């Protein structure tokens, strides 16, 4: 008997449907011909708690830290025992085993750790599926690989899991216990990814809070030229008092010039005229989709992830959603016309866009060299029936389909004009754009473009017909929203000074992963570190105090960059994980030594945030055991990974 172990029930059903023969169901498994398909429920196993290594660790004490297992252990999750028993029984009957985890680092880990935990010693094949539709699954079943090829990926994922445990368990215990000494009765959770994300928000809030606005002044002129009229803006010289962005800080020079300008004549002293071609935006990765859906529909990052999971698992309308890639395999190009025609035919908006698509075109999106374990989100070809979708599901599906359809539209072609005029010895600039060929643009916006500048010739005369001064004020940075925080996590290199670290963060997709970014935001809210105010995300006093009390290195993204670099070396170059974990343990000693009750007390007292006091974390449903705090109150065990 061949046993196929899928990552989740929806994938197991898709595999069983693609196998020859009728399907027979039993508890925890599906029989199809000579194959049996069973499944995990996400992670069935987790890193064992500290007291599994020593019962003394059940009590939180500073003199126990750092806790470092000498021989790592896994433990079943509370609701996993039943399904683990099913897989154990089926493994005893199996002649061959197929690993069908999702095609990424975590997918490799969560199925393989179960197979190994339950004692299977035979060979394992690897089944990689990113599209749940039957033809795609059948193709994948026809090209099984040796799972041994993916051992480096497994070791990298296992190392990441152990490192997150070491980091989260030790720092969370240290800061929680120090917090009690400082008078804070509650868990202070610290994580390798969640804490730098919180740091982004805390520092942005501080920039807004400490921002001191100042006035600046802008002088404009309306100019008559041979073929029409346009507006231009004065460019003050270095003799004026300017800020670092060239803005005029004193009104008097603008007033003096404005008094002389009415009716003044000048000439077009410089003209730059160039044609610009712009290709369509690429198909979506999950994070890019979360950013756009937040801006367009006001959906939270978690809501977009949940919708995508339903579109993938329940409706089977899109390919694997938790992708960090924005490119598509070349083999998909040949079926693109039939796939999109089938997918878009029942939606009026998509049908209109489909009618304008030219399937003889080929964009830069089709590039096998840029496709890794996943490819970009795309329709599977199953018809999207609007009546079966919730409004938000239909909205998100249209975005996904639109970005793929846009690959079959010509580029946007525009004429960009930059003009500089000399009047009374002063420089005035104007710019404009004329849309020559809209290309893919109508799929993305219905707004009219700004009017183009009239046609002009360098050296021609101009005359001032009106002028005015606008008094403006500098503005603080905008607070984070779901969209801008996800974008910041994607482009975290912008927040790092070290060029080597910046390069690593760009290469390894920033802070967090496509699958975890939305959950990180929700976790920070649940733990009382962030609050959602309308569409913005703000730090609470608790969140601000925690960041202020930690060593700066713990609240910045550089550590993640270094981790990802080491994990990539393990996954891609098959390096030994031991030195990575050893360096982390050495690093932990320094971080733990910096825990200080007085500093934490001062930080919590001085912290400013969106609430007078930190809100109580929202209660999660859990089946985990509770422990008694020293004060006798019940407290939930904190999640410490991430």
């Amino acid at each position: 008997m061949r046993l196929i172990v899928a990552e989740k029930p929806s994938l197991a059903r898709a595999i069983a449907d693609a196998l020859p023969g009728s399907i027979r169901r039993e508890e925890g498994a599906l029989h199809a011909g000579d194959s049996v398909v069973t499944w995990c429920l996400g992670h069935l196993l987790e890193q064992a708690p500290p007291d599994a290594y020593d019962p003394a660790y059940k009590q939180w004490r500073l003199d126990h830290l750092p806790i470092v297992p000498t021989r790592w252990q896994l433990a079943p999750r509370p609701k996993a025992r039943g399904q683990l028993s099913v897989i154990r029984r089926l493994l005893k009957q199996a002649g061959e085993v197929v690993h069908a985890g999702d095609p990424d680092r975590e997918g490799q880990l969560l199925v393989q750790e179960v197979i190994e935990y339950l004692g299977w010693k035979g060979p394992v094949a690897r089944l990689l599926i990113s599209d749940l539709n039957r033809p795609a699954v059948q193709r994948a079943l026809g090209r099984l690989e040796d799972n041994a090829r993916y051992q480096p990926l497994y070791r990298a994922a296992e190392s990441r899991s152990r490192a997150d445990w070491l980091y989260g368990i030790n720092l969370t215990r240290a800061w929680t216990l120090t917090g009690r000494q400082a008078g804070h009765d509650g868990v202070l959770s610290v994580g390798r990814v969640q804490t730098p994300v919180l740091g982004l928000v805390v520092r942005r809030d501080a920039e807004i809070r400490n921002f001191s606005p100042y006035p600046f002044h802008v002088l404009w002129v309306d100019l008559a030229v041979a073929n029409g009229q346009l507006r231009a803006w004065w460019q003050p010289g270095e003799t004026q008092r300017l800020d670092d962005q060239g803005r005029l800080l004193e009104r008097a020079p603008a007033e003096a010039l404005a008094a002389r300008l009415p009716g003044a004549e000048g000439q077009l002293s410089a003209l730059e005229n160039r044609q610009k071609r712009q290709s369509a935006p690429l198909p979506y990765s999950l994070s890019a989709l979360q950013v756009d859906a937040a801006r367009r529909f006001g959906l939270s990052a978690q809501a977009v992830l949940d919708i995508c999971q339903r579109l993938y698992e329940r409706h089977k309308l899109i390919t694997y959603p938790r992708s960090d890639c924005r490119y598509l395999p070349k083999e998909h190009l040949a079926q693109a016309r039939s796939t999109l025609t089938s997918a878009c035919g029942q939606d009026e908006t998509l049908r209109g866009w489909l009618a304008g698509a030219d399937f003889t075109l080929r964009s830069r999106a089709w590039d096998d060299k840029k496709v890794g374990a996943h490819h970009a989100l795309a329709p599977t070809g199953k018809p999207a029936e609007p009546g079966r979708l919730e409004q938000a599901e239909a909205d998100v599906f249209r975005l996904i389909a639109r970005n793929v359809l846009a690959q079959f539209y010509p580029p946007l072609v525009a004429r960009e004009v930059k003009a500089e005029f000399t009047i009374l010895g002063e420089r005035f600039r104007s710019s404009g754009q004329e849309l020559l060929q809209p290309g893919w643009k109508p799929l993305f916006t219905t707004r009219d473009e700004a009017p183009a500048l009239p046609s002009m010739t360098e050296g021609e005369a101009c005359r001032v017909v009106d002028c005015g001064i606008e008094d403006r004020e500098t503005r603080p940075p905008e607070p984070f929203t779901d969209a801008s925080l996800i974008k910041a996590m994607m482009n975290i290199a912008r927040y790092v000074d070290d060029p080597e670290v910046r390069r690593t963060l760009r290469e390894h997709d920033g802070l967090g992963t496509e699958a975890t970014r939305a959950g990180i935001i929700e976790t920070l809210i649940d733990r009382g570190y962030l609050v959602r105010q309308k569409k913005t995300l703000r730090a609470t006093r608790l969140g601000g105090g925690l960041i202020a009390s930690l060593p700066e290195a713990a609240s910045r993204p550089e550590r993640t960059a270094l981790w990802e670099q080491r994990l990539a070396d393990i996954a891609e170059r098959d390096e030994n994980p031991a030195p990575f974990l050893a360096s982390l343990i050495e690093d932990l000693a320094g971080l733990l030594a910096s825990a200080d009750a007085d500093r934490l007390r001062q930080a919590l007292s001085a912290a400013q945030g969106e609430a007078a006091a930190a809100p109580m974390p929202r209660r999660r449903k859990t089946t985990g055991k509770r422990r008694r705090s020293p004060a006798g109150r019940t407290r939930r065990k904190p999640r410490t990974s991430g």
Side-chain angles (χ1 to χ4, degrees):
M1 179 261 283
R2 178 175 67 170
L3 178 64
I4 302 174
V5 185
E7 180 163 331
K8 56 180 77 75
S10 57
L11 179 58
R13 287 193 296 272
I15 294 170
D17 288 342
L19 291 168
S22 59
I23 297 174
R24 179 171 60 84
R25 302 175 184 274
E26 67 172 47
E27 184 180 357
L30 299 168
H31 293 252
D34 62 352
S35 296
V36 177
V37 188
T38 188
W39 52 83
C40 301
L41 302 164
H43 280 280
L44 295 179
L45 302 169
E46 60 188 359
Q47 292 296 333
D51 54 89
Y53 299 99
D54 186 336
Y57 292 154
K58 196 157 192 175
Q59 183 183 14
W60 290 27
R61 292 175 48 171
L62 286 170
D63 59 1
H64 288 160
L65 305 180
I67 299 171
V68 180
T70 54
R71 185 174 180 180
W72 288 89
Q73 299 177 36
L74 295 171
R77 288 181 178 267
K79 291 186 177 179
R81 296 186 184 279
Q83 190 60 20
L84 277 172
S85 296
V86 170
I87 300 173
R88 179 183 285 109
R89 172 176 56 80
L90 293 171
L91 280 171
K92 290 177 180 178
Q93 304 168 16
E96 56 181 308
V97 171
V98 177
H99 178 316
D102 282 346
D104 58 16
R105 196 164 71 187
E106 286 306 300
Q108 185 65 35
L109 174 68
L110 72 84
V111 173
Q112 185 165 336
E113 68 183 2
V114 167
I115 293 171
E116 294 187 358
Y117 178 81
L118 296 177
W120 174 260
K121 302 298 183 185
V124 179
R126 187 64 165 98
L127 173 61
L128 298 168
I129 294 173
S130 59
D131 181 341
L132 293 188
N133 278 281
R134 185 171 182 171
V137 178
Q138 286 175 328
R139 287 195 297 272
L141 284 163
R143 48 180 187 237
L144 295 178
E145 300 182 55
D146 186 346
N147 189 57
R149 179 182 173 187
Y150 295 90
Q151 290 309 293
L153 194 67
Y154 170 71
R155 283 191 287 273
E158 182 182 61
S159 300
R160 193 277 313 152
S161 176
R162 292 174 175 178
D164 276 339
W165 188 95
L166 286 167
Y167 192 85
I169 287 288
N170 284 290
L171 293 188
T172 294
R173 288 192 173 204
W175 257 258
T176 298
L177 292 167
T178 305
R180 290 178 193 167
Q181 295 173 3
H184 176 76
D185 184 21
V187 173
L188 289 175
S189 176
V190 181
R192 186 257 311 186
V193 176
Q194 67 162 0
T195 304
V197 173
L198 175 61
L200 285 176
V201 181
V202 169
R203 284 186 282 274
R204 173 64 59 85
D205 285 354
E207 286 180 55
I208 295 169
R209 188 168 55 248
N210 299 329
F211 184 80
S212 296
Y214 58 85
F216 66 97
H217 313 280
V218 175
L219 170 61
W220 55 264
V221 291
D222 285 341
L223 301 176
V225 294
N227 292 316
Q229 190 169 305
L230 56 85
R231 178 162 290 189
W233 308 87
W234 180 38
Q235 307 299 303
E238 293 180 359
T239 58
Q240 311 300 334
R241 184 164 166 254
L242 310 175
D243 69 5
D244 57 1
Q245 295 188 38
R247 294 178 292 208
L248 182 67
L249 299 179
E250 294 177 338
R251 201 176 198 276
E255 291 175 337
L257 179 57
R260 302 165 52 211
L261 280 170
E265 295 186 350
Q267 69 171 19
L268 176 56
S269 51
L271 180 67
E272 182 181 334
N273 196 330
R274 69 186 184 94
Q275 188 168 293
K276 172 186 167 185
R277 293 172 63 86
Q278 184 179 345
S279 299
L282 290 165
Y284 284 117
S285 64
L286 175 60
S287 289
L289 176 63
Q290 286 169 321
V291 170
D292 275 7
R295 288 174 175 166
R296 183 175 288 260
F297 305 119
L299 295 170
S300 72
Q302 186 63 48
V304 176
L305 175 57
D306 293 343
I307 288 166
C308 285
Q309 284 298 126
R310 295 198 297 273
L311 291 173
Y312 172 62
E313 295 181 358
R314 182 189 305 169
H315 301 296
K316 296 184 173 59
L317 291 175
I318 65 170
T319 55
Y320 181 74
R322 299 184 181 219
S323 173
D324 59 357
C325 179
R326 299 198 68 175
Y327 293 85
L328 294 166
K330 290 180 183 177
E331 70 171 1
H332 285 208
L333 183 59
Q335 288 83 39
R337 181 196 294 269
S338 60
T339 297
L340 291 169
T341 299
S342 175
C344 303
Q346 296 190 34
D347 182 287
E348 184 177 355
T349 300
L350 292 176
R351 199 163 54 240
W353 293 341
L354 179 67
D358 180 355
F359 289 97
T360 66
L361 299 176
R362 175 172 172 172
S363 78
R364 62 195 174 104
W366 313 94
D367 189 341
D368 289 344
K369 293 180 181 177
K370 295 184 178 178
V371 175
H374 310 299
H375 57 69
L377 279 68
T380 60
K382 184 178 179 181
E385 301 174 34
R388 299 187 62 183
L389 299 178
E390 298 173 7
Q391 183 61 50
E393 292 173 341
D395 289 339
V396 170
F397 178 74
R398 280 192 203 100
L399 290 182
I400 295 168
R402 178 200 66 182
N403 273 40
V404 178
L405 280 167
Q407 308 312 309
F408 300 99
Y409 275 69
L412 177 155
V413 182
R415 181 170 64 91
E416 287 188 342
V417 179
K418 293 181 180 179
E420 184 172 298
F421 300 87
T422 303
I423 307 166
L424 301 178
E426 298 289 340
R427 294 180 302 124
F428 294 81
R429 286 181 183 163
S430 183
S431 62
Q433 179 173 282
E434 179 184 359
L435 194 62
L436 303 177
Q437 181 179 316
W440 50 266
K441 190 77 170 179
L443 277 66
F444 289 76
T445 181
T446 57
R447 291 180 298 181
D448 294 331
E449 297 293 325
L453 297 183
S455 59
M456 296 176 288
T457 305
E458 190 169 328
E460 72 173 85
C462 65
R463 180 175 55 84
V464 177
V465 296
D466 196 7
C467 68
I469 300 171
E470 294 181 6
D471 298 320
R472 301 181 183 177
E473 191 176 68
T474 56
R475 299 176 61 183
E478 295 289 330
F480 277 116
T481 63
D482 275 73
S484 61
L485 187 54
I486 288 284
K487 193 167 186 179
M489 294 164 75
M490 292 167 64
N491 300 290
I492 196 66
R494 296 177 184 175
Y495 299 83
V496 172
D497 295 328
D498 187 295
E500 287 296 321
V501 176
R502 271 205 310 270
R503 183 161 44 252
T504 299
L505 285 167
R506 280 197 296 266
E507 290 172 356
H508 295 288
D509 303 310
L511 198 57
T513 67
E514 305 296 317
T516 62
R517 287 176 183 140
I520 289 165
I521 294 173
E522 296 304 318
T523 295
L524 290 169
I525 292 171
D526 286 348
R527 290 176 176 168
Y529 299 150
L530 296 182
V531 290
R532 197 177 258 118
Q533 293 189 337
K534 296 182 179 177
K535 293 184 178 180
T536 67
L537 293 165
R538 309 302 291 265
T540 64
R541 290 183 64 181
L542 178 60
L546 176 61
I547 293 300
S549 72
L550 286 163
E552 188 175 17
S555 67
R556 290 193 174 273
E558 284 84 349
R559 185 181 312 277
T560 283
L562 297 174
W563 278 33
E564 287 300 333
Q565 193 172 47
R566 300 291 293 274
L567 292 171
D569 289 340
I570 296 168
E572 297 165 13
R573 299 178 182 85
D574 200 13
E575 289 198 359
N576 183 358
F580 164 63
L581 292 174
S583 67
L584 168 61
I585 293 165
E586 183 179 343
D587 192 21
L588 271 176
L591 291 170
L592 293 170
S594 67
D596 181 87
D598 287 338
R599 178 181 177 183
L600 182 54
R601 185 183 299 109
Q602 292 170 10
L604 292 171
S605 176
Q608 299 182 52
E610 290 304 305
M616 289 297 292
R618 295 202 303 264
R619 297 176 73 86
R620 288 178 174 269
K621 291 182 179 179
T622 179
T623 56
K625 292 182 180 179
R626 298 184 177 189
R627 61 183 178 84
R628 306 293 291 182
S629 74
R633 280 177 287 178
T634 300
R635 185 179 293 113
R636 294 185 187 276
K637 287 186 178 180
R639 289 168 53 198
T640 54
S641 62

